[in-house]
Amino acid sequence: MEDFIGRISISIQKGKVDINSPYPPDMKGQPGAFELTGEALENGVSANDILTKAMIPAMGIVGDLFKDKKLFVPQVLMCAKAMNSAMSHLKPYFSSGEICKRGTFVIGTVSGDLHDIGKNLVSMMIEGSGWTVVDLGVDVKTEKFLEAIGDNPGCILGMSALLTTTMESMEKSVRTLREVYPSQKIIVGGAPLNNEFAHRIGADLFAPNPQIAVEFINSL
Amino acid sequence: MSYTPRERVLAAMNLQKPDRVPLMCQFSIGSMMQQLKPSPAEFWYDGDVFASGLVELCKRFKFDGILVSLHGHSPGWRDNIVSFNKLEEGKQEIVFTDRSEFHSWTDLPMVKYFNKPVHKGIDEIDVENDVPGVIDYIPVSQDLYFKIDKDHPFDIFLKLKEMVGSEYSIHGEITSPFDYLLDLLGYEQALISLILNPEKCKEILQKFTNGITVLAKEMCKYPIDAVKISSPFAGMGFISPEHYSEFVLPYESQFIKEIRNCGKHVYIHTCGHIDDRLELMQQSGASGLECLDPEPVGNVDLEDAFKRIGSKMFIKGNIDSINSLLYADDAKAERDILKIIETGKRGGGFILSTACSIAPMVSSERLDMLPELIKKAGRY
């Protein structure tokens, strides 16, 4: 079992999606996260072990390396692809209840803002740490955030803004959400934000990078 | 000796020290809107309105130069409008046949396409047919383009020359081929393609570079002193130094060389964290660097940057528009700006500027501080 766990983990960390993927060059022709996960299940490794001992820790390592600027966006995107390819084998186990997600994370870019790359990176990393992600997309109005929280009781909410002007939309949304759901956990992120702003508008956390968001929600 | 504003900027770009530190920030569109409160759609589309706004702001805040961030305004921009709706004050909606646009005093226009074309994957791209040979648009932001009118690509520089003569330094702007690649494929798809199909990416980049080179050389025939290269995705926030060397540097270097051959200055604008690639950026042959965002938005220490590249490049920066202008109190703003002026003066060629564009909601009072502090501490 250890062998499969280690190899799946390495495949995800290195962004090796499947046997046909040319990346990384030093693993060309070798099985990737997709094949190894299928093989591991066939050999009796439990889905839960694959998820909790290989996939989630691997994405944690990826997140740390990205935080430290030792990995960059293209590599992280490949790691996420590898993770998703492995995850495709686990879907039946989630459906049957044999393994469970940690919870639900709802995320969106705030009203007036169409930027999505930061939001998408956070979504990938959080999904990779074992959460169900509900992505509301970009230019999300407060009403849509409210509706999503209502539809997903107990969820954690993430909000993204790339523009200083849409930080205002974020503030309005957070304040309204707080009135309706006072104890809702809210994470905010985006290049122009900082801790002070997050605190002032009533968010629980400013995540300057995806891994900080992952660490926060896993600590709740 | 007294310098004109233009002479001051030119001296700094030539790595000399004029009478005082020159001041020349780049306004975001939202910032211009906030200061001028124009008809937002006309300000975006009408070259006369835009040029007048640029001159007005330059004079109002005592800047030494004007950055022309959009060029190619079409005199016939109203021709294809289906409807033009004035909403509340400072807000307008324009409907074209393929899209609706929301223009406001707040920020860039927001565009919604009725049938948004899906990005082709890297393997589906036919370089010959899918990558334009002639660059006739500026990818301003996600889903936002500025069409360059082929019959009037650089009229705005003539308008400005007519308005200000040789008093101010006028700079044009072109966009990096790397941005065009990201726009063509979609950001995530493009960034993955750097890994999965690097050779195809290079073919696309080369074709964009050819078109941009033509555009840049043509621009240099107009009365400008410098060209700014907008390259916001080339920093550590997106790609590694290795990818920068492979996918950005070789292409930007090509038209930088041509611009320099035309006798114009050229500087690179890359936002965020770039401390690990200052020397690589210098290898491009550019005469200057812009931004150099300090912590927390970026990671450049101005003094260190001067030590590393200051003997060969001028530096235009590096006021944090958010934390030193927008959200700081007066004391912090003054402290931060004075520190940058002092550091800049000790360095080589230096132009005081915001690192990235002036954020839209920065007040006019805060902008007024800039020439005041230059007056107080900026003399050489």
Side-chain angles (χ1 to χ4, degrees), chain A residues 21-23 66 69 72-75 77-78 81 112-117 120 124 139 163-165 167-168 192 194 197 200, chain B residues 106-107 110-112 141-142 187-188 191-192 194-196 236-241 243 273 277 322-323 326-327 359-361:
Chain A
S21 173
Y23 181 83
F66 184 59
K69 300 222 164 11
F72 297 85
V73 177
Q75 292 84 3
L77 292 172
M78 289 305 297
K81 270 174 85 91
D113 201 324
L114 301 176
H115 297 87
D116 63 2
I117 191 159
N120 294 349
M124 287 171 204
D139 189 21
L163 306 170
T164 51
T165 45
M167 287 163 70
E168 207 177 303
N194 58 31
F197 174 79
R200 183 165 61 78
Chain B
T106 311
D107 214 324
M110 271 181 79
V111 182
K112 288 190 177 160
S141 187
Q142 202 157 341
Y187 297 165
E188 285 164 39
L191 290 166
I192 283 183
L194 301 181
I195 284 176
L196 292 179
M236 292 168 78
F238 292 94
I239 56 171
S240 66
H243 274 173
H273 294 65
R277 61 200 65 190
I322 299 164
N323 298 297
L326 184 61
Y327 291 124
M361 298 304 172

Short mmCIF file of all heavy atoms in Angstrom, two decimals, chain A residues 21-23 66 69 72-75 77-78 81 112-117 120 124 139 163-165 167-168 192 194 197 200, chain B residues 106-107 110-112 141-142 187-188 191-192 194-196 236-241 243 273 277 322-323 326-327 359-361:
data_model
loop_
_atom_site.label_atom_id
_atom_site.label_comp_id
_atom_site.label_asym_id
_atom_site.label_seq_id
_atom_site.Cartn_x
_atom_site.Cartn_y
_atom_site.Cartn_z
N SER A 21 0.61 12.07 -20.60
CA SER A 21 1.03 13.45 -20.39
C SER A 21 2.55 13.59 -20.55
O SER A 21 3.31 12.81 -19.95
CB SER A 21 0.61 13.92 -18.99
OG SER A 21 1.16 15.20 -18.74
N PRO A 22 3.00 14.55 -21.35
CA PRO A 22 4.44 14.73 -21.53
C PRO A 22 5.13 15.40 -20.35
O PRO A 22 6.34 15.56 -20.33
CB PRO A 22 4.51 15.63 -22.77
CG PRO A 22 3.25 16.43 -22.74
CD PRO A 22 2.21 15.53 -22.12
N TYR A 23 4.32 15.83 -19.38
CA TYR A 23 4.88 16.57 -18.25
C TYR A 23 4.77 15.74 -16.98
O TYR A 23 3.76 15.09 -16.78
CB TYR A 23 4.12 17.89 -18.07
CG TYR A 23 4.63 18.74 -16.94
CD1 TYR A 23 5.73 19.58 -17.12
CD2 TYR A 23 4.02 18.69 -15.69
CE1 TYR A 23 6.20 20.36 -16.07
CE2 TYR A 23 4.50 19.47 -14.64
CZ TYR A 23 5.58 20.30 -14.83
OH TYR A 23 6.05 21.06 -13.80
N PHE A 66 3.93 26.70 -3.48
CA PHE A 66 3.41 27.88 -4.19
C PHE A 66 3.49 29.11 -3.29
O PHE A 66 3.89 30.19 -3.73
CB PHE A 66 1.95 27.61 -4.61
CG PHE A 66 1.34 28.71 -5.42
CD1 PHE A 66 1.89 29.11 -6.63
CD2 PHE A 66 0.19 29.36 -4.99
CE1 PHE A 66 1.31 30.13 -7.39
CE2 PHE A 66 -0.39 30.38 -5.74
CZ PHE A 66 0.18 30.76 -6.94
N LYS A 69 6.78 30.54 -3.28
CA LYS A 69 7.21 30.90 -4.64
C LYS A 69 8.29 29.96 -5.18
O LYS A 69 9.21 30.36 -5.90
CB LYS A 69 7.67 32.36 -4.68
CG LYS A 69 6.56 33.34 -4.27
CD LYS A 69 6.52 34.54 -5.13
CE LYS A 69 5.28 35.39 -5.09
NZ LYS A 69 4.26 35.22 -4.13
N PHE A 72 5.11 27.77 -9.44
CA PHE A 72 4.41 28.90 -10.04
C PHE A 72 3.08 28.41 -10.62
O PHE A 72 2.80 27.22 -10.62
CB PHE A 72 5.32 29.57 -11.07
CG PHE A 72 6.56 30.15 -10.43
CD1 PHE A 72 7.70 29.36 -10.21
CD2 PHE A 72 6.58 31.46 -10.00
CE1 PHE A 72 8.81 29.87 -9.59
CE2 PHE A 72 7.70 31.99 -9.37
CZ PHE A 72 8.82 31.20 -9.17
N VAL A 73 2.28 29.35 -11.13
CA VAL A 73 0.92 28.99 -11.51
C VAL A 73 0.85 27.84 -12.52
O VAL A 73 0.05 26.91 -12.34
CB VAL A 73 0.15 30.23 -12.02
CG1 VAL A 73 -1.25 29.85 -12.48
CG2 VAL A 73 0.04 31.29 -10.92
N PRO A 74 1.66 27.83 -13.58
CA PRO A 74 1.53 26.71 -14.53
C PRO A 74 1.74 25.34 -13.87
O PRO A 74 0.98 24.40 -14.14
CB PRO A 74 2.65 26.98 -15.56
CG PRO A 74 2.87 28.45 -15.49
CD PRO A 74 2.66 28.82 -14.05
N GLN A 75 2.72 25.25 -13.01
CA GLN A 75 2.98 23.98 -12.33
C GLN A 75 1.84 23.60 -11.39
O GLN A 75 1.43 22.44 -11.31
CB GLN A 75 4.30 24.05 -11.54
CG GLN A 75 5.55 24.14 -12.38
CD GLN A 75 5.90 25.56 -12.82
OE1 GLN A 75 5.24 26.52 -12.45
NE2 GLN A 75 6.95 25.69 -13.63
N LEU A 77 -1.25 24.47 -11.67
CA LEU A 77 -2.40 24.04 -12.48
C LEU A 77 -2.24 22.58 -12.91
O LEU A 77 -3.20 21.82 -12.94
CB LEU A 77 -2.55 24.94 -13.71
CG LEU A 77 -2.97 26.40 -13.43
CD1 LEU A 77 -2.89 27.24 -14.69
CD2 LEU A 77 -4.38 26.46 -12.85
N MET A 78 -1.01 22.19 -13.24
CA MET A 78 -0.77 20.79 -13.61
C MET A 78 -1.00 19.86 -12.41
O MET A 78 -1.55 18.77 -12.57
CB MET A 78 0.66 20.62 -14.14
CG MET A 78 0.92 21.23 -15.50
SD MET A 78 -0.20 20.68 -16.79
CE MET A 78 0.16 18.93 -16.87
N LYS A 81 -4.60 19.40 -12.03
CA LYS A 81 -5.12 18.47 -13.05
C LYS A 81 -4.84 17.02 -12.64
O LYS A 81 -5.69 16.14 -12.80
CB LYS A 81 -4.42 18.72 -14.40
CG LYS A 81 -5.12 19.74 -15.28
CD LYS A 81 -4.29 20.05 -16.53
CE LYS A 81 -4.52 19.07 -17.64
NZ LYS A 81 -5.59 19.45 -18.56
N GLY A 112 -19.17 43.22 -9.90
CA GLY A 112 -18.40 44.24 -10.63
C GLY A 112 -17.02 43.80 -11.04
O GLY A 112 -16.30 44.53 -11.70
N ASP A 113 -16.63 42.60 -10.63
CA ASP A 113 -15.28 42.13 -10.89
C ASP A 113 -15.34 40.83 -11.71
O ASP A 113 -16.03 39.88 -11.31
CB ASP A 113 -14.58 41.86 -9.55
CG ASP A 113 -13.06 41.87 -9.67
OD1 ASP A 113 -12.56 41.41 -10.71
OD2 ASP A 113 -12.40 42.32 -8.72
N LEU A 114 -14.64 40.82 -12.85
CA LEU A 114 -14.72 39.65 -13.74
C LEU A 114 -13.48 38.76 -13.66
O LEU A 114 -13.32 37.84 -14.45
CB LEU A 114 -14.89 40.14 -15.19
CG LEU A 114 -16.14 40.99 -15.47
CD1 LEU A 114 -16.13 41.48 -16.91
CD2 LEU A 114 -17.40 40.19 -15.21
N HIS A 115 -12.57 39.07 -12.76
CA HIS A 115 -11.32 38.31 -12.70
C HIS A 115 -11.52 36.97 -11.99
O HIS A 115 -12.17 36.92 -10.96
CB HIS A 115 -10.24 39.13 -12.00
CG HIS A 115 -9.90 40.38 -12.73
ND1 HIS A 115 -10.60 41.55 -12.55
CD2 HIS A 115 -8.97 40.64 -13.69
CE1 HIS A 115 -10.10 42.48 -13.35
NE2 HIS A 115 -9.11 41.96 -14.05
N ASP A 116 -10.91 35.94 -12.55
CA ASP A 116 -11.19 34.64 -11.94
C ASP A 116 -9.98 33.76 -11.65
O ASP A 116 -10.11 32.72 -11.02
CB ASP A 116 -12.19 33.85 -12.80
CG ASP A 116 -11.66 33.52 -14.18
OD1 ASP A 116 -10.51 33.86 -14.48
OD2 ASP A 116 -12.42 32.91 -14.97
N ILE A 117 -8.79 34.18 -12.05
CA ILE A 117 -7.68 33.23 -11.90
C ILE A 117 -7.34 32.98 -10.43
O ILE A 117 -7.08 31.85 -10.03
CB ILE A 117 -6.45 33.64 -12.74
CG1 ILE A 117 -5.43 32.51 -12.76
CG2 ILE A 117 -5.82 34.94 -12.27
CD1 ILE A 117 -4.44 32.57 -13.89
N ASN A 120 -9.99 30.77 -8.99
CA ASN A 120 -9.87 29.39 -9.47
C ASN A 120 -8.72 28.64 -8.78
O ASN A 120 -8.84 27.46 -8.49
CB ASN A 120 -9.67 29.38 -10.98
CG ASN A 120 -10.90 29.88 -11.72
OD1 ASN A 120 -11.95 30.05 -11.12
ND2 ASN A 120 -10.77 30.14 -13.00
N MET A 124 -9.18 25.25 -6.59
CA MET A 124 -8.45 23.99 -6.84
C MET A 124 -7.75 23.48 -5.59
O MET A 124 -7.78 22.29 -5.28
CB MET A 124 -7.38 24.23 -7.92
CG MET A 124 -7.91 24.39 -9.31
SD MET A 124 -6.55 24.92 -10.37
CE MET A 124 -7.45 25.72 -11.67
N ASP A 139 -18.42 38.24 -10.84
CA ASP A 139 -19.46 39.27 -10.79
C ASP A 139 -20.67 38.76 -9.98
O ASP A 139 -21.82 38.83 -10.44
CB ASP A 139 -19.87 39.65 -12.24
CG ASP A 139 -20.80 40.86 -12.29
OD1 ASP A 139 -20.82 41.62 -11.32
OD2 ASP A 139 -21.49 41.01 -13.31
N LEU A 163 -9.79 44.23 -7.82
CA LEU A 163 -9.74 45.67 -8.06
C LEU A 163 -10.01 46.43 -6.77
O LEU A 163 -10.84 46.00 -5.96
CB LEU A 163 -10.80 46.05 -9.10
CG LEU A 163 -10.74 45.28 -10.42
CD1 LEU A 163 -11.98 45.57 -11.27
CD2 LEU A 163 -9.48 45.65 -11.19
N THR A 164 -9.36 47.56 -6.63
CA THR A 164 -9.62 48.35 -5.43
C THR A 164 -11.06 48.83 -5.42
O THR A 164 -11.66 48.98 -4.36
CB THR A 164 -8.69 49.58 -5.37
OG1 THR A 164 -8.75 50.29 -6.60
CG2 THR A 164 -7.26 49.16 -5.09
N THR A 165 -11.62 49.04 -6.60
CA THR A 165 -13.01 49.51 -6.65
C THR A 165 -14.00 48.42 -6.25
O THR A 165 -15.06 48.71 -5.70
CB THR A 165 -13.36 49.98 -8.06
OG1 THR A 165 -12.88 49.04 -9.00
CG2 THR A 165 -12.74 51.32 -8.35
N MET A 167 -13.38 46.13 -4.09
CA MET A 167 -13.27 45.88 -2.65
C MET A 167 -14.48 46.48 -1.94
O MET A 167 -14.91 45.99 -0.90
CB MET A 167 -11.97 46.48 -2.10
CG MET A 167 -10.72 45.70 -2.51
SD MET A 167 -9.21 46.65 -2.29
CE MET A 167 -9.06 46.75 -0.51
N GLU A 168 -15.01 47.55 -2.52
CA GLU A 168 -16.20 48.18 -1.96
C GLU A 168 -17.40 47.23 -2.04
O GLU A 168 -18.18 47.11 -1.10
CB GLU A 168 -16.48 49.45 -2.76
CG GLU A 168 -17.21 50.52 -2.02
CD GLU A 168 -17.37 51.76 -2.89
OE1 GLU A 168 -16.34 52.29 -3.37
OE2 GLU A 168 -18.51 52.15 -3.12
N PRO A 192 -5.18 43.45 -3.99
CA PRO A 192 -5.09 44.72 -3.26
C PRO A 192 -5.52 44.63 -1.79
O PRO A 192 -5.45 45.63 -1.08
CB PRO A 192 -6.08 45.61 -4.04
CG PRO A 192 -7.08 44.69 -4.64
CD PRO A 192 -6.38 43.38 -4.85
N ASN A 194 -5.69 43.41 2.29
CA ASN A 194 -4.75 43.11 3.37
C ASN A 194 -5.54 42.74 4.63
O ASN A 194 -6.77 42.81 4.65
CB ASN A 194 -3.77 44.26 3.62
CG ASN A 194 -4.50 45.57 3.94
OD1 ASN A 194 -5.57 45.55 4.53
ND2 ASN A 194 -3.90 46.68 3.54
N PHE A 197 -7.92 45.45 6.08
CA PHE A 197 -9.18 45.59 5.33
C PHE A 197 -10.13 44.46 5.71
O PHE A 197 -11.32 44.68 5.97
CB PHE A 197 -8.89 45.60 3.82
CG PHE A 197 -10.13 45.59 2.98
CD1 PHE A 197 -10.87 46.75 2.77
CD2 PHE A 197 -10.59 44.40 2.39
CE1 PHE A 197 -12.03 46.73 2.01
CE2 PHE A 197 -11.73 44.38 1.62
CZ PHE A 197 -12.47 45.55 1.43
N ARG A 200 -11.56 45.04 9.05
CA ARG A 200 -12.48 46.18 9.07
C ARG A 200 -13.86 45.83 8.51
O ARG A 200 -14.88 46.27 9.03
CB ARG A 200 -11.87 47.34 8.27
CG ARG A 200 -12.71 48.61 8.27
CD ARG A 200 -11.92 49.83 7.79
NE ARG A 200 -11.45 49.71 6.43
CZ ARG A 200 -12.19 49.88 5.34
NH1 ARG A 200 -13.45 50.16 5.46
NH2 ARG A 200 -11.67 49.78 4.13
N THR B 106 -16.49 54.53 -12.04
CA THR B 106 -15.82 53.73 -11.03
C THR B 106 -14.55 53.06 -11.53
O THR B 106 -13.53 53.06 -10.86
CB THR B 106 -16.77 52.64 -10.50
OG1 THR B 106 -18.00 53.25 -10.18
CG2 THR B 106 -16.20 51.96 -9.29
N ASP B 107 -14.61 52.49 -12.71
CA ASP B 107 -13.45 51.69 -13.14
C ASP B 107 -13.55 51.44 -14.64
O ASP B 107 -14.29 52.11 -15.35
CB ASP B 107 -13.43 50.36 -12.37
CG ASP B 107 -11.99 49.91 -12.10
OD1 ASP B 107 -11.14 50.13 -12.96
OD2 ASP B 107 -11.74 49.33 -11.03
N MET B 110 -17.30 47.34 -18.10
CA MET B 110 -17.58 45.90 -17.96
C MET B 110 -18.32 45.46 -19.21
O MET B 110 -19.34 46.06 -19.57
CB MET B 110 -18.46 45.64 -16.75
CG MET B 110 -17.66 45.41 -15.49
SD MET B 110 -18.76 45.08 -14.13
CE MET B 110 -19.15 43.38 -14.43
N VAL B 111 -17.82 44.42 -19.84
CA VAL B 111 -18.38 43.99 -21.12
C VAL B 111 -19.01 42.61 -20.97
O VAL B 111 -18.42 41.72 -20.36
CB VAL B 111 -17.28 43.92 -22.20
CG1 VAL B 111 -17.87 43.53 -23.54
CG2 VAL B 111 -16.58 45.27 -22.32
N LYS B 112 -20.19 42.46 -21.53
CA LYS B 112 -20.81 41.12 -21.56
C LYS B 112 -21.13 40.79 -23.00
O LYS B 112 -21.88 41.52 -23.66
CB LYS B 112 -22.05 41.10 -20.68
CG LYS B 112 -21.67 41.14 -19.22
CD LYS B 112 -22.79 40.90 -18.26
CE LYS B 112 -22.22 40.92 -16.83
NZ LYS B 112 -23.20 41.14 -15.82
N SER B 141 -8.05 44.14 -20.37
CA SER B 141 -8.28 43.37 -19.15
C SER B 141 -9.10 42.14 -19.56
O SER B 141 -9.40 41.96 -20.74
CB SER B 141 -9.05 44.23 -18.15
OG SER B 141 -9.15 43.57 -16.92
N GLN B 142 -9.46 41.34 -18.58
CA GLN B 142 -10.20 40.13 -18.90
C GLN B 142 -11.51 40.49 -19.63
O GLN B 142 -12.34 41.23 -19.10
CB GLN B 142 -10.50 39.36 -17.62
CG GLN B 142 -10.77 37.90 -17.85
CD GLN B 142 -10.51 37.07 -16.59
OE1 GLN B 142 -9.84 37.47 -15.67
NE2 GLN B 142 -11.06 35.88 -16.57
N TYR B 187 -6.47 32.52 -19.64
CA TYR B 187 -5.30 32.56 -18.75
C TYR B 187 -4.82 31.18 -18.30
O TYR B 187 -3.65 30.84 -18.42
CB TYR B 187 -5.59 33.41 -17.51
CG TYR B 187 -5.87 34.87 -17.79
CD1 TYR B 187 -6.44 35.68 -16.82
CD2 TYR B 187 -5.57 35.46 -19.02
CE1 TYR B 187 -6.71 37.03 -17.07
CE2 TYR B 187 -5.83 36.79 -19.28
CZ TYR B 187 -6.41 37.57 -18.30
OH TYR B 187 -6.68 38.90 -18.54
N GLU B 188 -5.76 30.39 -17.82
CA GLU B 188 -5.32 29.10 -17.27
C GLU B 188 -4.82 28.16 -18.36
O GLU B 188 -3.80 27.49 -18.20
CB GLU B 188 -6.47 28.45 -16.49
CG GLU B 188 -6.69 29.13 -15.15
CD GLU B 188 -8.02 28.79 -14.53
OE1 GLU B 188 -8.45 27.63 -14.63
OE2 GLU B 188 -8.63 29.70 -13.96
N LEU B 191 -1.39 29.25 -19.48
CA LEU B 191 -0.31 28.96 -18.53
C LEU B 191 0.02 27.47 -18.51
O LEU B 191 1.19 27.08 -18.42
CB LEU B 191 -0.69 29.47 -17.13
CG LEU B 191 -0.72 31.01 -17.02
CD1 LEU B 191 -1.43 31.47 -15.75
CD2 LEU B 191 0.69 31.59 -17.07
N ILE B 192 -0.99 26.64 -18.65
CA ILE B 192 -0.73 25.20 -18.73
C ILE B 192 -0.02 24.86 -20.05
O ILE B 192 0.86 24.00 -20.09
CB ILE B 192 -2.06 24.42 -18.61
CG1 ILE B 192 -2.50 24.38 -17.15
CG2 ILE B 192 -1.92 23.00 -19.14
CD1 ILE B 192 -3.76 23.58 -16.91
N LEU B 194 2.16 26.51 -21.58
CA LEU B 194 3.60 26.76 -21.51
C LEU B 194 4.34 25.47 -21.19
O LEU B 194 5.47 25.26 -21.61
CB LEU B 194 3.93 27.81 -20.43
CG LEU B 194 3.29 29.19 -20.55
CD1 LEU B 194 3.75 30.08 -19.40
CD2 LEU B 194 3.62 29.84 -21.88
N ILE B 195 3.66 24.62 -20.43
CA ILE B 195 4.26 23.35 -20.01
C ILE B 195 3.98 22.25 -21.02
O ILE B 195 4.87 21.48 -21.38
CB ILE B 195 3.68 22.95 -18.62
CG1 ILE B 195 4.34 23.78 -17.53
CG2 ILE B 195 3.88 21.47 -18.35
CD1 ILE B 195 3.78 23.52 -16.15
N LEU B 196 2.72 22.19 -21.48
CA LEU B 196 2.33 21.03 -22.30
C LEU B 196 2.68 21.19 -23.78
O LEU B 196 2.87 20.20 -24.48
CB LEU B 196 0.83 20.78 -22.16
CG LEU B 196 0.37 20.29 -20.79
CD1 LEU B 196 -1.13 20.09 -20.77
CD2 LEU B 196 1.08 18.99 -20.40
N MET B 236 6.51 37.09 -10.62
CA MET B 236 6.56 35.85 -9.82
C MET B 236 5.18 35.34 -9.44
O MET B 236 5.04 34.17 -9.10
CB MET B 236 7.32 36.12 -8.51
CG MET B 236 8.79 36.40 -8.68
SD MET B 236 9.52 37.02 -7.14
CE MET B 236 9.69 35.53 -6.17
N GLY B 237 4.20 36.21 -9.47
CA GLY B 237 2.84 35.78 -9.13
C GLY B 237 2.29 34.79 -10.13
O GLY B 237 1.32 34.07 -9.85
N PHE B 238 2.89 34.74 -11.30
CA PHE B 238 2.40 33.83 -12.34
C PHE B 238 3.45 32.82 -12.80
O PHE B 238 3.21 31.63 -12.80
CB PHE B 238 1.89 34.63 -13.55
CG PHE B 238 0.65 35.42 -13.25
CD1 PHE B 238 0.74 36.74 -12.86
CD2 PHE B 238 -0.59 34.82 -13.30
CE1 PHE B 238 -0.41 37.46 -12.54
CE2 PHE B 238 -1.74 35.53 -12.99
CZ PHE B 238 -1.64 36.85 -12.60
N ILE B 239 4.60 33.33 -13.22
CA ILE B 239 5.54 32.39 -13.86
C ILE B 239 6.94 32.44 -13.21
O ILE B 239 7.32 33.44 -12.60
CB ILE B 239 5.67 32.67 -15.38
CG1 ILE B 239 6.09 34.11 -15.65
CG2 ILE B 239 4.37 32.34 -16.10
CD1 ILE B 239 6.44 34.39 -17.11
N SER B 240 7.66 31.37 -13.42
CA SER B 240 9.01 31.24 -12.86
C SER B 240 10.00 32.08 -13.68
O SER B 240 9.73 32.44 -14.82
CB SER B 240 9.43 29.77 -12.91
OG SER B 240 9.56 29.37 -14.28
N PRO B 241 11.18 32.33 -13.12
CA PRO B 241 12.21 33.03 -13.90
C PRO B 241 12.58 32.24 -15.16
O PRO B 241 12.88 32.83 -16.20
CB PRO B 241 13.41 33.11 -12.95
CG PRO B 241 12.90 32.81 -11.61
CD PRO B 241 11.62 32.04 -11.74
N HIS B 243 10.56 30.33 -16.97
CA HIS B 243 9.53 30.60 -17.98
C HIS B 243 9.63 32.04 -18.49
O HIS B 243 9.36 32.30 -19.66
CB HIS B 243 8.13 30.34 -17.40
CG HIS B 243 7.71 28.90 -17.54
ND1 HIS B 243 6.57 28.40 -16.98
CD2 HIS B 243 8.29 27.86 -18.19
CE1 HIS B 243 6.46 27.11 -17.27
NE2 HIS B 243 7.49 26.76 -18.01
N HIS B 273 5.38 40.89 -7.68
CA HIS B 273 6.68 40.41 -7.23
C HIS B 273 7.62 40.19 -8.43
O HIS B 273 7.39 39.30 -9.24
CB HIS B 273 6.50 39.08 -6.48
CG HIS B 273 5.72 39.21 -5.20
ND1 HIS B 273 4.40 39.59 -5.19
CD2 HIS B 273 6.08 39.03 -3.91
CE1 HIS B 273 3.98 39.64 -3.93
NE2 HIS B 273 4.97 39.30 -3.13
N ARG B 277 13.79 38.67 -10.78
CA ARG B 277 14.06 38.73 -12.23
C ARG B 277 14.47 40.11 -12.71
O ARG B 277 14.37 40.40 -13.90
CB ARG B 277 12.85 38.20 -13.00
CG ARG B 277 11.57 38.95 -12.80
CD ARG B 277 10.38 38.09 -13.18
NE ARG B 277 10.27 36.96 -12.28
CZ ARG B 277 9.46 35.92 -12.46
NH1 ARG B 277 8.66 35.88 -13.49
NH2 ARG B 277 9.46 34.91 -11.60
N ILE B 322 -2.02 51.54 -3.27
CA ILE B 322 -3.09 51.10 -2.35
C ILE B 322 -2.75 51.46 -0.91
O ILE B 322 -3.50 52.14 -0.23
CB ILE B 322 -3.32 49.58 -2.49
CG1 ILE B 322 -3.75 49.26 -3.93
CG2 ILE B 322 -4.35 49.09 -1.49
CD1 ILE B 322 -3.63 47.81 -4.30
N ASN B 323 -1.58 50.99 -0.47
CA ASN B 323 -1.27 51.12 0.96
C ASN B 323 -0.63 52.46 1.33
O ASN B 323 -0.62 52.82 2.50
CB ASN B 323 -0.39 49.95 1.39
CG ASN B 323 -1.11 48.63 1.21
OD1 ASN B 323 -2.13 48.39 1.83
ND2 ASN B 323 -0.60 47.79 0.32
N LEU B 326 -4.05 55.15 -1.17
CA LEU B 326 -5.49 54.96 -0.99
C LEU B 326 -5.89 54.82 0.47
O LEU B 326 -6.80 55.47 0.95
CB LEU B 326 -5.95 53.75 -1.81
CG LEU B 326 -7.44 53.44 -1.82
CD1 LEU B 326 -8.23 54.60 -2.42
CD2 LEU B 326 -7.73 52.16 -2.62
N TYR B 327 -5.21 53.95 1.20
CA TYR B 327 -5.65 53.63 2.56
C TYR B 327 -4.80 54.25 3.67
O TYR B 327 -5.15 54.14 4.83
CB TYR B 327 -5.70 52.11 2.74
CG TYR B 327 -6.81 51.48 1.93
CD1 TYR B 327 -6.55 50.47 1.02
CD2 TYR B 327 -8.12 51.92 2.07
CE1 TYR B 327 -7.58 49.91 0.26
CE2 TYR B 327 -9.15 51.38 1.31
CZ TYR B 327 -8.87 50.37 0.42
OH TYR B 327 -9.88 49.83 -0.33
N ALA B 359 -4.82 54.02 -8.10
CA ALA B 359 -6.11 53.35 -7.87
C ALA B 359 -7.24 54.36 -8.02
O ALA B 359 -7.09 55.54 -7.67
CB ALA B 359 -6.13 52.73 -6.47
N PRO B 360 -8.38 53.92 -8.55
CA PRO B 360 -9.46 54.86 -8.87
C PRO B 360 -9.88 55.79 -7.73
O PRO B 360 -10.14 56.95 -7.95
CB PRO B 360 -10.61 53.94 -9.29
CG PRO B 360 -9.91 52.75 -9.87
CD PRO B 360 -8.68 52.56 -9.03
N MET B 361 -9.96 55.27 -6.52
CA MET B 361 -10.52 56.09 -5.45
C MET B 361 -9.49 56.91 -4.67
O MET B 361 -9.82 57.49 -3.63
CB MET B 361 -11.32 55.19 -4.48
CG MET B 361 -12.49 54.49 -5.14
SD MET B 361 -13.61 55.69 -5.92
CE MET B 361 -14.72 54.58 -6.79
#
